[in-house]
Each structure stands twice: as structure tokens, then as C-alpha cells.
Amino acid sequence: MALPIEPRPAQPGRVLGRVVRRKEDPRLITGTGSYVDDLRLPGMLHMAVVRSPHAHARITGIDTGRARSMPGVRAVITGEEVKDLCGPMPVGWSLQGLKAPVKYPLALDRVRHVGEAVAVVVAESPAAAADGAEAVQVGYEPLPAVTDPEAAMQDGSPLVWDDVPNNIAARFPLSGGDIEDAFRKADRVVKLRLVNQRLVPVPMEPRGVVAQAHPISGELTLWSSTQIPHILHALLPGLLNVPETRVRIVAPDVGGGFGCKLNLYAEEILAGALSLKLGRPVKWIERRSEHFMATIHGRDQINHVEAAVSGDGRILGIRARIIADIGAYHQLLTPAIPTFTPFMMSGVYAIPALDVEVIEVFTNKTPTDAYRGAGRPEATYLLERLVDTVARELGLDPVEVRRRNFIKADQFPYNTVSGLTYDSGDYEGALNKLLEKIDYEGFRRQQQEARQQGRLLGIGFSTYVEICGLAPSRIWGALGAGIGGWESATVRISPAGRVTVVTGTSPHGQGHQTSWSQIVAETLGVNYEDVEVLHGDTAVAPHGLDTYGSRSAAVGGTAVYMASVKLREKARRIAAHVLEATVDDVEFQVVDGQGRFHVKGAPQRHVTLAQVAAAAFTAHNLPDDVEPGMEATVFYDPTNFTYPFGAHACIVEVDPEDGRVKILRYVAVDDCGNVINPQLVEGQVHGGLAQGIAQALYEGVVYDEQGQLLTASLTDYAVPTAADLPSFETDRTVTPSPTNPLGVKGVGEAGTIGSTPCVVNAVIDALAHLGVRHIDMPLRPSRVWAAIQQAKASGGGQPA
Amino acid sequence: MIPAAFAYHRASSVDEAVRLLQELGDDARVLAGGHSLLPAMKLRLARPGAVVDIGRIEGLRGIRRQVDHVEVGALTRHADLAAARLPAGLEALAECADRIADPQVRRRGTIGGSLCHADPSADWPAAVLALEGQLVLVGPGGERVVPAAEWFVAPFMTALQPGEILTAIRFPVPQARSGSAYLKLARKASDFAIVGAAARVTVDGSGRCTGAAVGVTGVGDVPYRATAVEDLLVGRVLDDQVIAEAAARAVEGVDPVSDVHAGAEYRAQVAQVYVRRAVQEALGRALSQPA
Amino acid sequence: MSQDSRVRVRIRVNGDVHEHEVEPRLLLVQYLRDVLGLTGTHVGCDTSHCGACTVLLDGEAVKSCTVLAVQADGGEVTTIEGLAQHGRLHPLQEAFWEHHGLQCGYCTPGMIMSALDLLNRHPDPDEETIRRGLEGNLCRCTGYQNIVRAVQAAAARMRAAEAAAAAGGGDD
């Protein structure tokens, strides 16, 4: 991109960087939004899915006769027919030596996890489809299941796929620096085994899809509750054997995603295929109970960590083995997610050596994939638990150990041992601001006094950096991505002077209509209210790479900004022509909220942007080399990722009698570079904190040894309510990103990444004097209590 | 999400409901507030062929103060009880009601429906046991009364006979200087009890305990009266040590269950802690009554 | 009575009376969404936990996924669509907007209806009362904090409006 793009300053502008009311909200607060389930089309059929009750079984036969004869049932499809309807499910990431068994949207002859789709029934009403699905008789011959990834890797373990020995899907090594030297020099080796438990994403809107094939032309429109309409557009036509020019994907209002809607699911393929087959619209809406078994899960790693540490608390090197339980097969990005962990394993610290192996293991469970943070929370959790353990073992203060290991503010751009280049940062600055807010010494005194009374108070810290702004396409491809990382934006001004923005991002709660309007209103000098943002429909926004990985502001927002500037430049050339001045002599200025061009030194010689737009469309008087119309499109491919960071602290009280953990304070100082809208940034942080705290204290998927899912609904899977969470105290430091002209970094996952280890560190701090060294998440009362009992029994405590 | 199809019958009187149940036989289920039955039907864990809706029967909802007892109609909603003004000593009723599930569920769910559903982790059983509720049943053979202690037979199974309907629960008005309390541990707000403990304590003028009842839910496979605890409380002046000593027997004779939420050992521990705290709370309330 | 016998229901929804023959198994939320086309009330779970389907039934917040349409026969239902009056947003809607009490918006209608019930019972709730009062509604986006702020702000505005009305300064 050859445009001279000046960086925007960090301070708020007229609209950019300020709080404005969201444009999305009027429809959402009045119940007039349009989610997939709200869509009703004439002749629409309803699909229900028959799912496996077994973790691992051979299908001995399927009797669809009764189902087919039920009132309203129009079609029943099983694995036998599925190959005629569509191709196998794609894997969007490649790794060296990756085992990627062929998986169709319906099981062919064997089921490999509870909830795997075995058949679908299409009927005239949701009730008829449910009744029909219940009437499908499937014969199963149960097979031994494997649910523990470490056991799965052993010789002789049951195989999830017969041609994948030891159930190992991939090994991904990553190393840098001289690890042998680090351990030679170490005064101490600190070891940890951590379980980063499996989670269910639970966006409040379950998944859903409506597919409408035109019975004559075969054109297919597919509405899906998805984060990635454009990626679906790239994948679905090939699977359904329809030219992509005849496929339109729409993501209407989407009720949250958190990564789980960054995928191509069996039901999307099947709804499309069945609509094409039957010539009628087909709708499928996920029941929440299905979500727990048929939508991807997140996390699920076992980390064996060894750190070489000097006597003064410096981490000289980390050696780790990461066993990632990826479930029964690959969803779209399953192989990628665990490989992100080692890249972020040096975190905010200047760690000179790293040696990590990631082992991805198949088990008889729901596949894992991206869930808020996607591989980075796992790295931060590992590292922040490690730093606290180092401090504890050396008798040092955890804050001091962090300081000693920090990358310093004057070291940026900083090349990490894992091969990344951090764009900018001031980790100590964020920590200092955090400490100002919490009165650390005061708390330590309070903690001592409380212990005298038998009360258990603890404080935990977490300092983190994450990788956002996905992604420079070249690097993305080198890592294994099947797609690029750019984003596109079109900005156009109507003859009447109103602005339309078309973005390739696909928001599902983030508020891009608001944020992108702010960017454009600021850049063009138009009213915030006069900007419309269109997204999530491939017929309207043909090019884009959608919304995930905190990429939208840094990549999509930048594309919007650059398209605005490009359009303004075109307008400037027309303005110069109209004003009979040279282009270099014409300046853009916003006066009274209105963008206009004037001749340098002669502000009275001006035309407004609206006047220029009108001139561009009448085209009566344009320069010879300028086309009519007022529209600019930019494809922006970032040169680097962005690296937001922050410092969090949490104060907890633990009830020694029942193990309950109460968060007394949670303070977060985050730095996501410049901000477009502080209120939206704060909202993202709040939501992220809630999800990160939920992992620390409440949520966790439990399978029994036979692979039965014991946490299969909101009854048994504990998503926290308002009464379970504290009020957060949030603040920011601002270290602009030099990677993009907006100076933004991204904030969607920050809270989730920072908070999980922070809470666990606080609980361990409260119990450390009793001899508790670690508790695996979620820190439910029963586990905390058991850890206290165990520590007492082994006499591991120190005097309070 | 969608229940299997069923025939719907709306009863306008208890007699009609009893008659319908007799006619329809085993295939029929009684619908009160629907907050136990409908969730099971939506997941098709329950699929009755017929539903007898008793929700509109006059006179089954409400709290009536009688001479020596308080009669709570079976259709009385949790929220009604949470907001009720109850005689001293029955505080645990309101406290328990207020901790059930969430506000919306409390608006619809009924005490009678919950007691008939008999989920071993439900809140009501603890309070109804500790307050020595008497369950009034009407069936083809007329009315009979079952004490709470005999009501819970097995998980999700009660002393209710086919064709019978629970119409009311009678709670004896406790003697002067009585107090009661309900405490529960759940994984998170609005959740079922991992352990729920209700206690009622009566003291005499000298502070000696003249009566005690303790109900525990969530711990065993059925809710139970912790009689071993009660025996150690009655007749003694209750100080922290006496209460702790008694509460330590909270799971005597009970096999605490283990499930995905908590192990047996933990349930046993928490039962003791929560029984102790509930007794302390109840005692405080009793002592605050005029002698 | 056979299993497919339909039952006649008469329900007043947002002020308008509707009469339909419905299957007994039809849930109130399905009646609102599928029969009446009022899709502002959402379904977020199948176990009566999430609260996205919350509406007022006879003035009280209920989970419309756990009420049969036949149970609501003769009743009066208010949904999110019935909250704004004469094109003017309800103070709760205004406050959710102003205080960023929503992100994806899916839980929002149910959350607002629960908050309305809460404020009907507690016109001046403290933070804990609000948090406990919203226990029956899950939100995955906001961490609840801005929802709590919005409910506090709406409560203040509603109290002020009531005081003004009581002082004779009521508008319409």
C-alpha cells in the first residue's frame, strides 16, 4: 500500500476515541434484532439431528423406516447417503506430519464421541423433526473409549482412528536459544504440572443455520450464526459442488461467538445440502444441550513445565511438554490452536531459551478448537503460575520476580525467543499503575492480621502479553493457515453526502457498526450518525476474513481508516480541480464538524466534502484522470501482529471450612494501544474477565472414563451469573502500536487471558502458608477444601 | 426443547383432578407450576401421555395461619413464601424459598410440585423436615396426612400413592423462643444445593434447648432428619462447643453421595459445617425472641 | 381426549388479545415467537437456566420456555416488544443503551424484562440486590457490570419520574 498514512495521535478526536451510543443497540434493546432463529421463510423445513449416545461405537445399522413414515417428515439422511450430498469436512490448518482423518458431516460406520451426528431428519415443523429424530433407530456396538490423552498416547490404548498410531495427530516442536546452557547455569529447577481444563464456549445464542436453495437456479443463500461468513463462502461451495458465484452467506445479528462460531460445522453443510436436494429452505437451530456436545470445546491441555531459574529469580529457560487433548477429529482450526501456546510462552519476560513440544492427541471427546484466547490463555496461565511458583520457592516477592524478568520498555521492538517481534510495550508501566491502585503493602499487613484470626486472604498477580491483529498473510501461511490475514474495507459517499462503509469483519457483539463509524466520521469530517456500516453478507461485502483473534480493530479498523483516507485523497484531487488550485495546495480540515477542503492560506476558498461528492457524481467538471463516483476500497495486509498487554491483581478470601472462594477485589490495567471507543474497550475487558474468572473458579467439562459427558447442560456446567462475579476495577495505559496507523492493538481476549492465572495465584497465595502449592482448575469449593486437607495431612505448612 | 405430544386436562377442583388421575392411570402426570415437570418433558426424560393441570384449582395457593399451624397450599409459589410474613420459628421457610433457583423460577415453581418431584438436591426438603411439615394428600380414598420425615422414599420417589394429590403442607407453629434457619452451599448462584441444612431450635427461659430439628438435603440419596444432631442439642445449653459437637454428627448413619459436583467426603464435611452454622443462626433467632 | 387435541387459548400480549388453537405441548415462548411472530423473546437453553426467554406473565417475570401456552390461557403477557410506549424507549432500554449493558444483544430482552420485574419489587436496589435479582439471566458478553450500572441508572430515572409525577409534573 503506497498511500502515505500518517499515524493518528493517541488523544481522542472529535468522535474517535470517545464514548458514543452504539448503533447496534436500538434494534437489540427493542427485540427487533434479527438472529438466525428469527428468520421465517415460506415453505421452510426444519432439521433435527440424531446424535450418538456412545463415546465410541460401531454403527451396526440404522432403521429410518418409522421416522420416514411419521407425519410431516420429508427426509431422513444417514451416513450412507451423506457422501452423495457433500464433501468431507475441511481442515483449515496444516502442520508437518499432521494426521487428518477424513470426516464427513455424518458418521459413516463408527461414532467417536458422544453427540456426533449420525443422521438428520427434515420435517415440516421443529416438533415433527424432533419426533422424527427420536424415531430413528440406530444400532451400536460399543467399542472401548479413550478419554485421558496421556493414556491415549500409550501403546495398546484404544485407537480413535485405526490408522493414527498412539492417537497422536501431530507433534509440533518450537525452540529457541540454548536450553541446555540455561539448565547448566540454573541455580534451581522449578517444575509444575498444570491442567488447563476443557471448557464449553456457551455464547448465549446457540448455533443455527437457514439454507435456502433456489429450486430452479440452484443459487444458495445460507444464513448462519457464524463469525466467519467469508470463510464459509470460501469453503461451502466446493463441499456442496455449487459455483461460489451462486452462493451467498449471511451472518445476521449473531449472539456471541467466543471462537466457537469460527468454524464450519456439519449442520451448516447438511442444511445447505438438504436445501439443494429438496428445493426448500431448511432451518436448524442448536438446542443448548446439543451445544455442549456438538459445538467445539476450548482449551484442554496438560502442561509439564520445567524452568531453569537463577538464585535471584531470573528465568533462564523453559522446557515444556504440552499434551493437547483435541478430541475425536479436526474441526476447522483444531490443529492450529495448541501450537499458538509455545509462541507466547516467554510472555512479558526476557527469557533467553525455550524448548517446547506440543503433542496433539485424539480422544473420544468433542473436538477442541478456538475459544476466547485460543492457545494464548494456556501460555499465560502456564507462565504466570510458573512465575509465582518461582517466587514461592525462592522466597521472593511475586511482583519483584516479575520485575526482574520483564522485557524493558526501551527494548522494543523486541524479538522473542519464540521468533516473534513484539511491536511495543511498557510492562512495568502497567504493573506500576496497578500497584498504585491496590496498596500492596497494606494488603500484606491485612493478610497477616487476618491469618491470626483464622481467615484466609490472598492476592494474585498476572502480567500478560497476547498476540492480536491476525495476521500478516505471509507469516500466517508459513505457520500453516489455509487463508490469508488481510482485511478489506470500502468507503463510499453518496451524491447526497452520506457515507457507507463496507467491512470484511463480521461482528457478533463487538460493535463494529459503532467503531467503524467513529473512524470514518473522524477521518472524513462527517457526522457519526451519517455513517452506515454494512457487514456480514457476502453479497454486500464480498471480501473479508471476518472476526476472531482480536483482529478486527487492528486489521479491519485499519482497512476502514485507510479506505477513508484514500477516499479523502480522491476528494482532495477533485477539490483542487474545483478550486483551481494544485493538489498540494489544498488542505483538508474539519470545521464545525464538517469536512472541507481549502486552499492553503485562503480558508475562504473552500468546498465541503459533500459538495465534492456531488461533483464527483455529476461528473461535469472532473480532472481528466479522475473517475466519477466517490468510493475507495483498500485491502490491508498488516506487516506484523500487535501485542496488547496488561497487569492484573485479584484479592480473594477462602473459607477454610468449605473451601469457597470469594473475590474481594479485581483490578485490571490493560494496554491495547490507542482506543477507538473507551466504553466498548471496557466492555470487552469486563466480559473477558468474567470468562477468565469462570475458568478459574467455575467451569470445566467432565467426561467419565467411558466417555460419557457428565456436564451436558447448564444444569451441570456452571456458567457464572451476576451474583457470582464481583465489580471489576479497570484502568488502562496507552502504548500505541507502531504496526498500524491507528495505533490500535485489539482487546477482545485480553481480560480472559489475564484473569485466569490471576485468580488462581490469589487462591494459592491465600493457602500457601498451609502448604498448598497448586490446585487444578476450576477451583471449586470441594477442590480447595481437599487441597487444604491434603496440605494439613502432609504437614506442609509454615507458621502463619 | 419440544416435549413429546400429550393430552391436556385442566382440573377445576381437587376432586376432578383425583378423578382424572384415576381415569388416566399411570400415563398421566400432575402439572402444578411446571418447573420440575416441564424441563424433564422438554428433554424427553419424562413423556407422559396425559397431563393434568391443577394450576387453576381454587384454594390451593396461599398461606393460612390456623390456631396451631400454618397451612401452606401446595400451589403456593416459592416467591410467595419468600415474601411471606411467618410466625417466629418458621423463618427457614422464607429463607429456603428465597434461595431456590432464581427469581423467575420462584415466581412459577410451587412448594407442592417441588416436594412431589423430590429431587434429592432440592432445597425444600431440608426446611420441610426441620419445620416438621405434615403433607396433606387427597386421593380416591379421601384425605391422609404424611409427616415430612416419611415423605422422601428414594431419589425422585415419595410416599405419594397413585391417584393422590398433595394439597397442602401444614407447619406446626413453633413454641415461643424458637428460631429456624436455612443455609446452602451451591457451586454458584441459582444452583441446586450441594449441601443444604435447615435447623429449628427452641429454648427455654434459661437458654436451654427444649426442642431441635435438623433437615439436610443434597448429602444423602434422600433428604433426611439429622436426629443424631438433634439428640445432642436437646436438653443442653447451646454454646459453640455443644453445637459443634452435635453438628459433627450431621451425617451419622448416612452415606453421602459422590457426583460430578462434589465427593462424599466433602459433602460430609460441609454438612457438618452448614448444620452447625444453621443451628447457630436458628439459636440466635430463638434467643432474640422475648422469653 | 386424544394426544393431538388442540386447546383454545386466549392470551393478551402487549395489550392485544390473541386467540388460537394450540397443541398442548406448545411452550409460551414458541407461541410468542412462532405463532405471533414476536421474535424479540429468545431461546438460549432448554433447561430453564439462561433467562433469555423471560417475559412478564400477569406482571411477573417468568421463563416463557417453562410455561405451556395453555398455562398462560387467560393471562396477560408483556414482551420486550411491548416495553417502549408511543415510540419512546423505556428507561431500562435507554439505560442499557447508554451504559453499554449489552454487546451481542441476545440475552438483552430477557435481561431487561427481569430487571423490570426487579425494579417493580425494589425501586431503589443496591448492587447486591440487582446481582441477586438477575440470577436467572445469563450473559456471556458483558461480565454483568454494565448491566448492573444500567439497572441502577434506570432505577434512578424511574424514581425521579415517579417523584415528578407525584409532584404533579407528570408528562403524559
Side-chain angles (χ1 to χ4, degrees), chain C:
Chain C
M1 195 184 280
S2 75
Q3 290 205 346
D4 52 9
S5 296
R6 292 182 166 246
V7 178
R8 187 153 197 87
V9 296
R10 186 171 193 276
I11 305 174
R12 185 185 289 269
V13 180
N14 300 331
D16 298 329
V17 175
H18 299 271
E19 281 195 61
H20 290 93
E21 303 267 330
V22 301
E23 258 197 296
R25 63 168 156 172
L26 187 76
L27 303 169
L28 177 59
V29 68
Q30 293 162 338
Y31 179 73
L32 296 169
R33 291 179 54 82
D34 299 338
V35 179
L36 302 186
L38 293 170
T39 55
T41 302
H42 298 151
V43 177
C45 77
D46 47 9
T47 51
S48 319
H49 282 90
C50 81
C53 65
T54 302
V55 300
L56 299 191
L57 174 57
D58 297 327
E60 297 180 339
V62 304
K63 293 182 172 176
S64 62
C65 74
T66 315
V67 177
L68 298 171
V70 293
Q71 288 179 290
D73 180 25
E76 195 166 330
V77 173
T78 307
T79 71
I80 188 73
E81 289 94 339
L83 213 51
Q85 292 293 326
H86 315 300
R88 192 185 300 175
L89 294 177
H90 186 278
L92 270 165
Q93 292 171 312
E94 282 282 355
F96 269 67
W97 191 7
E98 185 179 339
H99 293 276
H100 192 30
L102 64 149
Q103 291 179 27
C104 82
Y106 197 78
C107 76
T108 309
M111 196 66 85
I112 288 178
M113 298 315 287
S114 272
L116 179 61
D117 187 30
L118 171 74
L119 293 184
N120 287 341
R121 285 175 287 135
H122 303 279
D124 189 8
D126 60 14
E127 180 181 335
E128 196 195 331
T129 306
I130 295 172
R131 286 185 180 273
R132 273 217 64 203
L134 299 178
E135 262 174 22
N137 294 74
L138 294 177
C139 169
R140 197 63 157 166
C141 293
T142 64
Y144 303 103
Q145 187 150 333
N146 287 342
I147 291 176
V148 173
R149 282 179 187 163
V151 175
Q152 280 169 328
R157 206 173 302 177
M158 287 163 72
R159 287 196 310 276
E162 200 143 298
D171 40 22
D172 50 5

Side-chain angles (χ1 to χ4, degrees), chain A residues 73 76 143 213 217 265 312 325 336 427 429 506 531 628 644 719 726 769:
Chain A
V73 171
V76 182
L143 299 169
S217 72
Y265 284 98
D312 62 353
D325 178 346
Y427 306 144
S506 195
V531 184
V719 173
H769 65 290

Side-chain angles (χ1 to χ4, degrees), chain B residues 133-278:
Chain B
Q134 302 277 320
L135 290 86
V136 183
L137 310 173
V138 176
E143 184 180 302
R144 70 183 178 113
V145 175
V146 175
E150 293 166 23
W151 178 251
F152 303 102
V153 173
F156 303 100
M157 194 184 280
T158 68
L160 190 78
Q161 293 298 312
E164 281 186 327
I165 285 180
L166 173 64
T167 59
I169 305 97
R170 294 180 189 142
F171 294 98
V173 174
Q175 293 167 12
R177 298 204 93 198
S178 291
S180 67
Y182 177 70
L183 286 174
K184 99 192 233 194
L185 175 81
R187 288 170 314 155
K188 64 176 191 92
S190 82
D191 222 349
F192 274 95
I194 291 176
V195 172
R200 179 186 56 75
V201 172
T202 306
V203 291
D204 65 16
S206 67
R208 188 173 303 277
C209 176
T210 58
V214 173
V216 180
T217 189
V219 176
D221 61 356
V222 288
Y224 62 93
R225 276 279 289 268
T227 48
V229 179
E230 298 167 4
D231 292 346
L232 278 192
L233 293 172
V234 175
R236 300 171 78 179
V237 174
L238 302 184
D239 58 22
D240 285 351
Q241 199 183 330
V242 169
I243 294 173
E245 194 188 316
R249 302 175 70 177
V251 294
E252 202 169 285
V254 175
D255 254 342
V257 296
S258 256
D259 61 19
V260 63
H261 307 307
E265 194 192 359
Y266 178 71
R267 277 197 163 83
Q269 154 73 11
V270 175
Q272 293 166 33
V273 172
Y274 279 61
V275 164
R276 191 191 76 220
R277 291 177 184 176

Side-chain angles (χ1 to χ4, degrees), chain B residues 7-57:
Chain B
Y8 176 77
H9 305 268
R10 186 182 287 163
S12 53
S13 68
V14 172
D15 287 347
E16 187 187 359
V18 170
R19 184 176 50 74
L20 279 167
L21 285 178
Q22 269 184 292
E23 281 171 21
L24 297 165
D26 287 350
D27 203 23
R29 293 288 298 271
V30 173
L31 178 71
H35 275 53
S36 299
L37 182 59
L38 290 179
M41 287 171 64
K42 280 162 62 182
L43 297 175
R44 303 202 175 189
L45 300 172
R47 37 185 322 147
V51 162
V52 176
D53 183 356
I54 62 167
R56 288 167 198 252
I57 297 177

Side-chain angles (χ1 to χ4, degrees), chain A residues 84-105:
Chain A
D84 302 332
L85 288 175
C86 59
M89 295 174 63
V91 180
W93 201 269
S94 54
L95 295 173
Q96 202 180 358
L98 178 71
K99 302 280 197 305
V102 175
K103 168 78 182 97
Y104 277 84

